């Protein structure tokens, strides 16, 4: 039997904190509830803490790993699983739609590096048609933003875009002691399930995303100021939206309403 190489050290530039707590690992796997007939993808397997129980549950798993130093250890550790596949690459640019191909929807999981979590979520939202669900461990404040409701300080661009595309469920917190090395912040588990049918479909999703980004460009300013290049006060009022409101008070449907009005003007 091949010997397992020594575990590489966490690399700061990849934002690595390796999960070690067996109780937390077990709880995450139970939450994901993987089944053998599903297409399961793990982003950033690291040293295999989640990889091992996921493989035990399904017998097959695909992982995406950027750190070349970790890949030899993963190959040795899981050599006896013929359906364990490593995709060496950057999840931020990975083509998840091509990975799905004509096969079943992907179930994606991972302990995401804190320094790429938000851009990675936006990348995944763009390919929601290829995804059945996503379970991620993230910085707790990111999970709070994802699952926020309008009106609070956590509600922002990430909240609107995530909830436009997905149902978002904040599941449970994970303390720093569960990791090596210990991060200075608390983590949490989130489930994101892409909507089969969008509750509030935008006629032009690129325009919708632009409107949301511009509206939150300066959170303390009102819609009258932040969207003045797009539409005037009278138009906002005609849509039933007070121009004096701040962006964090609008819900997803109201942002879609604004975007759809502008899309209609283009026709």
């Amino acid at each position: 039997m091949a010997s397992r190489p020594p575990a590489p050290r966490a690399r700061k530039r990849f934002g690595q904190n390796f999960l070690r707590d067996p109780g937390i690992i077990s709880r995450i796997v139970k939450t994901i509830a993987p089944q053998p007939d599903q297409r399961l993808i793990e982003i950033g397997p690291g040293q295999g803490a989640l990889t091992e129980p996921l493989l035990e549950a399904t017998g097959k798993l695909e992982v995406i790993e950027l750190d070349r130093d970790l890949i030899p250890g993963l190959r040795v550790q899981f050599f006896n699983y013929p359906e364990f596949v490593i995709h060496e690459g950057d999840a931020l640019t990975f083509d998840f739609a091509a990975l799905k191909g004509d096969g079943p929807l992907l179930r994606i999981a991972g302990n995401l590096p804190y320094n790429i979590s938000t851009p990675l979520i936006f990348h995944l939202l763009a390919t929601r048609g290829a995804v059945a669900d996503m379970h991620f461990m993230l910085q707790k404040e990111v999970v709070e933003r994802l699952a926020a409701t309008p009106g609070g300080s956590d509600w922002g661009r990430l909240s609107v875009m995530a909830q436009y595309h997905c149902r978002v469920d904040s599941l449970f917190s994970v303390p720093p002691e569960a990791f090596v090395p210990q991060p200075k912040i608390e983590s949490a588990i989130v489930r994101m399930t892409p909507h089969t049918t969008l509750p509030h479909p935008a006629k032009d999703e690129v325009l919708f995303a632009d409107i949301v980004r511009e509206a939150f460009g300066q959170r303390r300013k009102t819609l009258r100021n932040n969207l003045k290049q797009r539409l005037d006060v009278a138009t906002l009022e005609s849509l039933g939206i007070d121009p004096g409101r701040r962006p964090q008070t609008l819900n997803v449907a109201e942002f879609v309403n604004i975007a759809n009005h502008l899309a209609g003007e283009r026709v």
Side-chain angles (χ1 to χ4, degrees):
M1 180 176 176
S3 61
R4 183 177 175 181
R9 292 181 179 179
R11 297 172 70 177
K12 201 166 186 180
R13 70 189 180 93
F14 291 135
Q16 291 169 321
N17 298 89
F18 298 121
L19 186 61
R20 286 285 188 270
D21 188 305
I24 295 292
I25 293 168
S26 176
R27 190 174 179 188
I28 294 170
V29 173
K30 287 179 181 177
T31 297
I32 297 171
Q35 302 298 319
D37 60 342
Q38 296 171 340
R39 184 98 181 268
L40 194 62
I41 314 297
E42 183 185 5
I43 295 174
Q47 295 176 356
L50 276 177
T51 312
E52 187 166 9
L54 290 174
L55 270 169
E56 287 175 355
T58 64
K60 58 184 179 181
L61 179 68
E62 296 173 61
V63 301
I64 301 167
E65 180 55 66
L66 176 62
D67 189 346
R68 294 180 180 178
D69 290 349
L70 294 173
I71 291 174
L74 291 167
R75 292 193 192 282
V76 171
Q77 186 177 359
F78 304 114
F79 78 96
N80 55 333
Y81 288 95
E83 293 188 82
F84 174 64
V85 177
I86 299 176
H87 301 281
E88 182 179 338
D90 188 346
L92 280 169
T93 57
F94 196 85
D95 191 340
F96 289 92
L99 181 63
K100 174 192 175 296
D102 296 327
L105 293 173
L106 308 178
R107 301 195 69 204
I108 303 176
N111 171 20
L112 300 188
Y114 301 133
N115 57 345
I116 67 161
S117 59
T118 298
L120 180 54
I121 286 169
F122 276 105
H123 177 59
L124 288 163
L125 292 175
T127 57
R128 69 169 191 271
V131 178
D133 60 17
M134 298 174 273
H135 291 81
F136 294 133
M137 185 179 324
L138 302 165
Q139 188 172 343
K140 189 174 182 180
E141 68 178 39
V142 175
V143 173
E144 289 171 346
R145 287 163 53 203
L146 285 166
T149 55
S153 60
D154 291 330
W155 182 256
R157 177 180 173 230
L158 180 62
S159 322
V160 174
M161 297 308 299
Q163 294 182 35
Y164 171 81
H165 291 286
C166 303
R167 172 178 168 173
V168 179
D169 297 295
S170 175
L171 301 179
F172 57 91
S173 298
V174 180
E177 303 81 58
F179 300 90
V180 175
Q182 288 189 24
K184 295 180 180 179
I185 46 86
E186 195 169 0
S187 303
I189 306 297
V190 66
R191 177 189 293 123
M192 302 174 65
T193 309
H195 297 301
T196 304
T197 302
L198 291 171
H200 310 288
K203 295 176 182 177
D204 182 334
E205 291 191 348
V206 173
L207 175 61
F208 166 69
D210 287 344
I211 293 298
V212 175
R213 184 179 61 253
E214 291 168 20
F216 284 101
Q218 299 184 70
R219 291 178 62 92
R220 295 186 178 183
K221 291 194 174 183
T222 64
L223 296 173
R224 175 191 290 110
N225 291 302
N226 288 348
L227 297 180
K228 64 184 178 182
Q229 301 300 321
R230 294 282 189 176
L231 66 179
D232 57 26
V233 166
T235 303
L236 279 169
E237 290 175 340
S238 73
L239 297 173
I241 297 172
D242 180 352
R245 289 170 64 185
R246 288 182 169 81
Q248 59 267 34
T249 68
L250 270 67
N251 60 32
V252 173
E254 289 174 308
F255 278 112
V256 170
N257 194 20
I258 293 171
N260 284 352
H261 171 81
L262 292 171
E265 286 187 342
R266 291 179 175 180
V267 177

